[in-house]
Amino acid sequence: GLISSNMAAVSLPLAALLPLLCGVLGFPLGQETGPTSCHATKPNLLNVHLVPHTHDDVGWLKTVDQYYYGDRNDIQHAGVQYILDSVVDQLLKNPDRRFIYVETAFFYRWWKRQSADVRRTVRRLVDEGRLEFVNGGWCMSDEATTHYSAVIDQMTMGLRFLNDTFGPCGRPRVAWHIDPFGHAREHASMFAQMGYDGFFFGRLDYQDRSRRRIAREQELLWRASDSLTPPMADLFTGILPNGYNPPEGFCWDQSCDDPPIRDDPDLEDYNVDDVVKRFLAIANTQAKVYKTNHIIMTMGSDFQYENANLWYKNLDKLIRYVNGRQANGSRVHALYSTPSCYLQELHRANLTWALKTDDFFPYADDAHDLWTGYFTSRPALKRYERISNGNLQTCNQLEVLGGPISRNGPFGKGDSQTMKKAMAVAQHHDAVSGTEKQHVADDYARRLAGGWLRCQVLVSNSLAALSGSTAERIYCDKLNVSVCPLTESSSKFSVNVYNPLARPVSWPVRLPVNGTSYKVSDAEGRSVDCQVCVCVCVCCPLLKTVCLCVLVLQFLRVTFDPDTGLLSGLSNLETKQTIKLTQNFYWYNASDGNNSKSDQPSGAYIFRPNSSTPFVISRTAKTETVQTSVLQEVRQWFSPWVSQVVRLHGDSRALELEWTVGPLPIDDDLGKEVITRLDSSIQTAEYFYTDSNGREILQRKKDFRPTWILRQSEPVAGNYYPINSRAFIKDEVDQLTVVTDRSQGGSSIQNGSLEIMLHRRLLYDDVRGVAEPLNETSALFPEGLVVRGRLLLSLDRPPTAADAHRPLAQQAVLQPTLDSSGRWSPCLQFSGLQAALPPAVHLLTLTQWDEDSVLLRLEHQFQSRESKENSRPVTVNLQKLFSTLEILGASELNLSANQWKDEMKRFHWTPQTGM
Ligand SMILES: *[C@@H]1O[C@H](CO)[C@@H](O)[C@H](O)[C@H]1NC(C)=O
Ligand SMILES: *[C@@H]1O[C@H](CO)[C@@H](O)[C@H](O)[C@H]1NC(C)=O
Ligand SMILES: *[C@@H]1O[C@H](CO)[C@@H](O)[C@H](O)[C@H]1NC(C)=O
Ligand SMILES: *[C@@H]1O[C@H](CO)[C@@H](O)[C@H](O)[C@H]1NC(C)=O
Ligand SMILES: *[C@@H]1O[C@H](CO)[C@@H](O)[C@H](O)[C@H]1NC(C)=O
Ligand SMILES: *[C@@H]1O[C@H](CO)[C@@H](O)[C@H](O)[C@H]1NC(C)=O
Ligand SMILES: *[C@@H]1O[C@H](CO)[C@@H](O)[C@H](O)[C@H]1NC(C)=O
Ligand SMILES: [Zn+2]
């Protein structure tokens, strides 16, 4: 198969393709039309598409299961099972009614418990287009803090369930991210490659919205990749008029207080004329800021429709009375609709649409309300989610390579499903984003831990099958706090290292041990260079300053200022580049909301420093140097709550900064947002670069947005952008790239500088609903959470920098999995691949699909033009890929693997001329 410069998914072997029709009212597949089950519209009137919907968070104030059951209604009244029960009943009462459902994590929980009768009924509703799935991922993912690989997995999981359960009529045609707090370009690119015809969302910067309203550009064409040939990554994008709420005065849920339609003239308070008048006024006003004679209104909100009768009874009346006015000359036609029916009308309008090529970050809903804090909120959960993604990919790969015995072998029954579900739930926009209540964050972490336990059994079975040894394996899960009981208590042990990347990597393995001298040999018995060093514990005594030397190993040279102990310079010895580089730690004083400009405090969502100048934590660092033949380290202590190890490995081209931050002190009653800042001699002219969901790179400019003239009101927070795996600054000759180990927020506020927010601890809630200050503690750290992480720094020439940072970022995302065994046995070396893949090709997914087929995703990981060598198209021979699998056939799918590639026919949209 030829893999061009996009992501592609392949399922093996080929299944028979049958043309399928959707139910009675269905639409033939493969034609460029929408569902024929849409209600008729009136070409000469203003058509108002009323879309009944519910927004069901996959965990936020309550856990996902509490929301499903309607448990803990004392926290928030919400029960998804009742919503689905009630909506199905109400849809049956009137065939005109419509409903859309979004979050497959909930729908799956409900479907499992339904009788054959109910299932039949629901299938009919789906076939007839009365119940329509939109988006359809396991959850509605966050867009700022997620990595594309985990997003694709969670979408695949939800969409596959829908296809398995409902066939093509269950395939969502519209992506629907009504709540996420800003929108990533890579998400739009993925949605296009998943076959969606359009995308709707609710939140964007308030300045951007007002400009778009005036220009009638709330509906646009998003060109979401500069590598894919248009229209491959083109996505029609619509901005909803009221976020995702109904217009004011028209909320008829049991949770709302708006008056019902009182239409019996014999009773008191008859209000039909008033309701119709208000509705017509709202519709006509809304029509002025959209382009066609069709407008959409979202009739629902968070966890609404638990008693769907209230909504539907009033909507039935609204439609009847509004349309009744047409006899008297009214020009407004209201109808039950869905996003895909609305989209179909926009498509029929055959207009041209404004083109957008940047993204929708950062999101501000007012001048001092920048939603850029959550880029970093809950850094430990963000890291755990990232490692879990790596573990899941290892688990998936070993399930395929080990065969069926992996799921049921010498160590018992294991599975990858538990981890897949836990990871899918963790992508939700109140999960990895860090905007949930503490008990809900704990629930996400518990699910991931449970998933990994099931995977460990699978991995042990698989390795037993591949190596022929059934020695028990211990997984070193706590290496980030230097704990691995087995290696600490054994004088002799063996360690397996599994690399989930499709090419060899050089990765330093560090294990806590008890002795002072060890002999290490590799799989072939050859001796390996190794050093035993004293570990840096999390709460260290302050050590005395020792004289510094410069760190130099094969590829890099790092200098320190002898007076301050701070990093002062970095050289790449291969390219003969040197820059001045100082690095230090600072904290922003979080606003408490007590401020004349605005009462907005910093919180889980919002970043609002009280001043744009951060406080330095210490001007000097106490240091200690460790130099061995395999590594050199400078250990720096800045304060009792900030320390760092600057580490250089013999064969690494990147400098490692291992930071430990916490517990952030709050005895001064000030919330703190801790950053590390790199100040370099690079001439950046206000530009910097961040990745989008870990994939393509976007250019950023200080106090600037590419699509409107920005009035900057938050000089720091308004310049923050999400960093998922890397960010860089550059000039003509030097590029400094920082690779992160989790999603974080960052910016370049001064020329030559790049800052990354590492940790935050806040004392006030930021009034976006979570109703808790972000004030994390844990059993291990009752005084306040301590977090440790790594940044990798590389210095390159700009034309070749991508060749270095792409693989570096993939290595940081997919780290090797370590397990150790107390029984010493020379272990086998094994590779699932016949040969390493070319540098441009990333093995994104290898996972069991069904009994005899696997899902394989190969990705061209370079952007067009970013690398002379690696941006070119590559060819991969599937037949010669795997060492243990014989390929009998292959067929190509869309990115989310819920549609065969040759059936993928998306709406075509025309950008405005000159674009
Ligand atoms: C239509 O207009 C007539 C005459 O003004 C009025 O009597 C009637 O009530 C109106 N009908 C509606 C549905 O408003
Ligand atoms: C859409 O508009 C274009 C240009 O105005 C026109 O050439 C084309 O025929 C129209 N298509 C349809 C289906 O009306
Ligand atoms: C480390 O070694 C010492 C001396 O051999 C022993 O007493 C101690 O229990 C060991 N520690 C661990 C964690 O095994
Ligand atoms: C920190 O910010 C608070 C308001 O949020 C302010 O009252 C306090 O004076 C500031 N402290 C310092 C040291 O700047
Ligand atoms: C933050 O957490 C600490 C430790 O649990 C607690 O003592 C303090 O009261 C909390 N502060 C707020 C504002 O929640
Ligand atoms: C270490 O990793 C675990 C998850 O594996 C996480 O819960 C914990 O917070 C991390 N500890 C530090 C100090 O970062
Ligand atoms: C979707 O489901 C249909 C009906 O069950 C099946 O024929 C088709 O192959 C499935 N599509 C994919 C991509 O799995
Ligand atoms: Zn939400």
Side-chain angles (χ1 to χ4, degrees):
L2 171 85
I3 309 293
S4 59
S5 54
N6 63 329
M7 297 188 275
V10 175
S11 159
L12 329 164
L14 183 69
L17 296 182
L18 299 168
L20 283 150
L21 293 176
C22 279
V24 198
L25 296 166
F27 52 93
L29 270 179
Q31 290 184 8
E32 228 201 36
T33 63
T36 56
S37 53
C38 298
H39 288 300
T41 57
K42 303 214 165 167
N44 300 319
L45 302 188
L46 172 63
N47 294 278
V48 185
H49 293 248
L50 301 173
V51 176
H53 82 106
T54 179
H55 177 66
D56 298 346
D57 288 309
V58 180
W60 180 39
L61 309 181
K62 311 203 285 191
T63 68
V64 51
D65 290 343
Q66 289 168 347
Y67 273 133
Y68 175 67
Y69 281 123
D71 196 6
R72 296 299 311 269
N73 275 353
D74 56 319
I75 300 178
Q76 179 188 12
H77 189 105
V80 176
Q81 56 167 340
Y82 307 127
I83 295 175
L84 289 164
D85 290 341
S86 181
V87 161
V88 169
D89 283 350
Q90 289 300 320
L91 288 176
L92 295 173
K93 293 217 160 112
N94 174 356
D96 289 346
R97 294 175 178 176
R98 296 288 180 270
F99 197 72
I100 56 170
Y101 202 71
V102 178
E103 297 86 4
T104 304
F106 285 125
F107 188 82
Y108 161 86
R109 280 166 169 73
W110 182 81
W111 181 258
K112 267 203 316 200
R113 295 273 159 208
Q114 302 310 307
S115 65
D117 238 27
V118 173
R119 289 184 175 188
R120 230 185 339 269
T121 303
V122 172
R123 281 209 180 88
R124 201 185 81 224
L125 291 173
V126 172
D127 286 349
E128 293 175 5
R130 293 155 68 183
L131 173 62
E132 178 181 308
F133 293 101
V134 303
N135 213 59
W138 205 247
C139 69
M140 183 186 292
S141 53
D142 179 53
E143 299 195 41
T145 65
T146 47
H147 191 267
Y148 69 94
S149 120
V151 174
I152 294 169
D153 284 353
Q154 78 88 6
M155 290 303 295
T156 301
M157 191 154 177
L159 293 171
R160 180 183 188 187
F161 172 82
L162 294 178
N163 194 59
D164 286 353
T165 311
F166 299 104
C169 300
R171 184 175 69 80
R173 303 167 68 99
V174 164
W176 182 259
H177 269 210
I178 56 181
D179 195 23
F181 333 125
H183 303 279
R185 195 176 82 172
E186 193 58 35
H187 259 73
S189 169
M190 289 189 280
F191 288 149
Q193 296 175 68
M194 288 174 184
Y196 289 102
D197 282 320
F199 176 42
F200 292 93
F201 67 69
R203 297 182 188 271
L204 78 164
D205 183 283
Y206 72 107
Q207 295 178 24
D208 194 11
R209 183 190 281 275
S210 56
R211 184 196 66 83
R212 287 182 181 279
R213 283 168 58 92
I214 295 161
R216 293 192 182 202
E217 288 184 4
Q218 290 193 90
E219 287 164 336
L220 57 127
L221 187 60
W222 199 349
R223 186 151 287 169
S225 165
D226 38 40
S227 298
L228 297 176
T229 317
M232 274 174 89
D234 284 1
L235 189 67
F236 179 89
T237 300
I239 298 161
L240 297 168
N242 302 298
Y244 53 90
N245 296 307
E248 209 181 318
F250 291 84
C251 185
W252 286 310
D253 193 65
Q254 64 177 16
S255 64
C256 299
D257 301 323
D258 292 340
I261 299 185
R262 299 179 301 248
D263 54 344
D264 186 339
D266 294 341
L267 302 186
E268 277 179 33
D269 299 329
Y270 179 86
N271 68 350
V272 172
D273 297 332
D274 169 63
V275 170
V276 170
K277 192 173 141 217
R278 282 189 290 120
F279 184 82
L280 294 179
I282 289 172
N284 286 317
T285 306
Q286 188 179 322
K288 294 199 179 97
V289 292
Y290 287 91
K291 267 185 156 176
T292 71
N293 64 326
H294 292 267
I295 56 172
I296 185 171
M297 292 185 187
T298 43
M299 304 310 272
S301 193
D302 291 7
F303 296 98
Q304 294 197 357
Y305 286 78
E306 190 174 311
N307 181 353
N309 182 42
L310 276 66
W311 258 117
Y312 281 117
K313 188 168 241 172
N314 285 288
L315 284 172
D316 285 353
K317 291 181 185 176
L318 180 74
I319 292 171
R320 189 162 76 242
Y321 293 124
V322 166
N323 294 350
R325 292 295 163 94
Q326 288 163 20
N328 278 17
S330 163
R331 312 289 302 155
V332 173
H333 181 68
L335 62 148
Y336 276 117
S337 189
T338 68
S340 63
C341 290
Y342 174 62
L343 186 72
Q344 175 176 254
E345 297 293 349
L346 297 182
H347 185 249
R348 278 189 189 142
N350 194 20
L351 302 178
T352 61
W353 307 93
L355 194 70
K356 179 178 176 77
T357 56
D358 62 322
D359 67 356
F360 288 97
F361 284 121
Y363 165 53
D365 53 2
D366 211 337
H368 300 284
D369 310 45
L370 267 295
W371 298 47
T372 53
Y374 80 98
F375 300 164
T376 297
S377 294
R378 300 194 186 279
L381 179 65
K382 283 184 164 66
R383 173 63 187 152
Y384 193 36
E385 183 275 336
R386 184 61 56 84
I387 310 172
S388 299
N389 181 39
N391 286 348
L392 174 59
Q393 304 313 321
T394 293
C395 183
N396 285 340
Q397 293 177 10
L398 284 171
E399 183 175 5
V400 171
L401 298 174
I405 200 171
S406 316
R407 291 186 291 277
N408 194 359
F411 296 97
K413 289 194 172 174
D415 68 80
S416 55
Q417 280 304 312
T418 313
M419 186 64 148
K420 281 188 176 130
K421 285 183 188 150
M423 271 301 289
V425 161
Q427 305 311 307
H428 168 62
H429 57 269
D430 298 299
V432 62
S433 59
T435 55
E436 65 284 68
K437 280 190 184 288
Q438 185 62 48
H439 80 104
V440 180
D442 296 343
D443 182 66
Y444 291 123
R446 193 185 49 72
R447 280 168 198 276
L448 293 171
W452 180 230
L453 282 180
R454 309 290 303 159
C455 267
Q456 280 178 356
V457 176
L458 186 154
V459 167
S460 294
N461 284 335
S462 174
L463 291 178
L466 295 169
S467 70
S469 154
T470 53
E472 201 202 342
R473 289 158 202 285
I474 310 287
Y475 295 83
C476 308
D477 295 336
K478 294 190 175 159
L479 287 178
N480 64 340
V481 285
S482 304
V483 173
C484 186
L486 183 103
T487 61
E488 284 171 88
S489 61
S490 320
S491 55
K492 213 173 184 190
F493 56 86
S494 62
V495 175
N496 285 300
V497 184
Y498 181 81
N499 167 25
L501 291 166
R503 64 186 52 82
V505 291
S506 161
W507 186 265
V509 172
R510 283 201 302 274
L511 294 167
V513 290
N514 194 8
T516 50
S517 155
Y518 285 80
K519 192 167 158 281
V520 180
S521 51
D522 70 10
E524 271 130 31
R526 285 176 309 224
S527 131
V528 173
D529 208 0
C530 134
Q531 294 289 335
V532 177
C533 322
V534 183
C535 277
V536 185
C537 57
V538 166
C539 21
C540 281
L542 290 180
L543 297 192
K544 63 179 187 342
T545 310
V546 297
C547 207
L548 285 163
C549 31
V550 178
L551 299 187
V552 198
L553 278 173
Q554 209 176 336
F555 299 112
L556 290 174
R557 180 171 186 275
V558 189
T559 55
F560 290 81
D561 181 325
D563 298 328
T564 61
L566 302 179
L567 203 71
S568 63
L570 181 63
S571 311
N572 181 332
L573 301 176
E574 277 181 303
T575 55
K576 304 199 167 46
Q577 287 169 269
T578 295
I579 55 167
K580 279 193 202 139
L581 181 67
T582 44
Q583 182 234 3
N584 206 343
F585 293 84
Y586 306 81
W587 61 278
Y588 286 106
N589 179 14
S591 174
D592 59 7
N594 211 346
N595 177 293
S596 59
K597 284 189 192 143
S598 138
D599 57 8
Q600 178 62 55
S602 235
Y605 303 83
I606 308 276
F607 172 32
R608 182 165 186 234
N610 182 53
S611 152
S612 298
T613 314
F615 294 102
V616 66
I617 287 166
S618 171
R619 291 189 190 289
T620 58
K622 294 201 164 67
T623 57
E624 186 195 43
T625 308
V626 174
Q627 283 180 312
T628 72
S629 56
V630 289
L631 65 82
Q632 302 187 352
E633 296 184 345
V634 170
R635 298 167 182 182
Q636 300 170 304
W637 284 270
F638 295 85
S639 84
W641 46 281
V642 176
S643 62
Q644 178 172 258
V645 181
V646 180
R647 192 178 282 133
L648 203 53
H649 292 281
D651 50 5
S652 170
R653 287 176 162 82
L655 179 69
E656 181 180 321
L657 304 179
E658 189 183 55
W659 50 270
T660 303
V661 175
L664 305 190
I666 49 168
D667 45 9
D668 53 3
D669 290 327
L670 301 178
K672 295 186 178 58
E673 323 213 23
V674 175
I675 59 160
T676 186
R677 200 175 71 208
L678 298 154
D679 294 304
S680 76
S681 53
I682 299 174
Q683 308 287 313
T684 59
E686 307 203 324
Y687 287 101
F688 59 109
Y689 301 81
T690 59
D691 63 335
S692 182
N693 296 126
R695 204 157 181 275
E696 294 191 352
I697 296 285
L698 292 176
Q699 188 185 59
R700 312 295 189 182
K701 185 170 193 264
K702 193 186 157 200
D703 297 332
F704 178 79
R705 306 284 186 263
T707 45
W708 83 91
I709 296 165
L710 176 70
R711 275 170 284 125
Q712 182 62 280
S713 38
E714 280 289 321
V716 177
N719 281 310
Y720 259 62
Y721 289 89
I723 300 172
N724 302 105
S725 73
R726 62 205 185 282
F728 56 81
I729 49 175
K730 64 173 183 180
D731 58 20
E732 294 290 306
V733 285
D734 296 309
Q735 174 169 330
L736 179 70
T737 308
V738 178
V739 170
T740 65
D741 65 348
R742 75 199 72 195
S743 292
Q744 293 168 321
S747 187
S748 173
I749 307 287
Q750 304 293 335
N751 277 337
S753 130
L754 186 61
E755 67 183 59
I756 293 176
M757 190 181 288
L758 304 175
H759 194 2
R760 40 203 321 257
R761 187 177 194 187
L762 304 165
L763 305 179
Y764 299 94
D765 174 61
D766 54 1
V767 282
R768 292 303 184 284
V770 75
E772 276 181 10
L774 186 72
N775 179 19
E776 291 180 284
T777 56
S778 74
L780 197 57
F781 303 115
E783 296 297 307
L785 192 65
V786 178
V787 187
R788 176 177 285 173
R790 259 178 237 196
L791 301 174
L792 299 177
L793 258 54
S794 81
L795 177 65
D796 309 279
R797 296 288 179 209
T800 57
D803 300 330
H805 71 74
R806 290 262 165 201
L808 207 56
Q810 293 294 11
Q811 268 181 55
V813 170
L814 289 180
Q815 295 187 358
T817 309
L818 294 189
D819 68 75
S820 58
S821 165
R823 195 180 328 153
W824 169 253
S825 55
C827 29
L828 285 178
Q829 269 199 67
F830 165 81
S831 170
L833 296 175
Q834 289 188 27
L837 290 179
V841 184
H842 175 55
L843 174 64
L844 181 58
T845 309
L846 175 62
T847 186
Q848 200 67 34
W849 191 246
D850 51 35
E851 270 309 302
D852 45 24
S853 62
V854 303
L855 178 71
L856 168 70
R857 287 194 186 94
L858 295 176
E859 171 197 351
H860 194 304
Q861 60 176 341
F862 283 82
Q863 237 159 295
S864 63
R865 296 180 296 278
E866 78 177 349
S867 164
K868 228 176 123 194
E869 268 308 296
N870 289 316
S871 288
R872 288 196 283 247
V874 224
T875 304
V876 173
N877 185 340
L878 291 182
Q879 287 293 0
K880 294 199 175 141
L881 201 56
F882 298 106
S883 61
T884 60
L885 301 176
E886 195 197 337
I887 292 177
L888 303 177
S891 39
E892 206 176 347
L893 294 148
N894 69 354
L895 183 58
S896 44
N898 65 325
Q899 201 180 18
W900 303 104
K901 189 75 178 248
D902 54 12
E903 291 174 353
M904 207 175 144
K905 290 199 175 65
R906 303 171 59 227
F907 280 161
H908 179 80
W909 304 89
T910 314
Q912 272 162 17
T913 45
M915 301 201 193

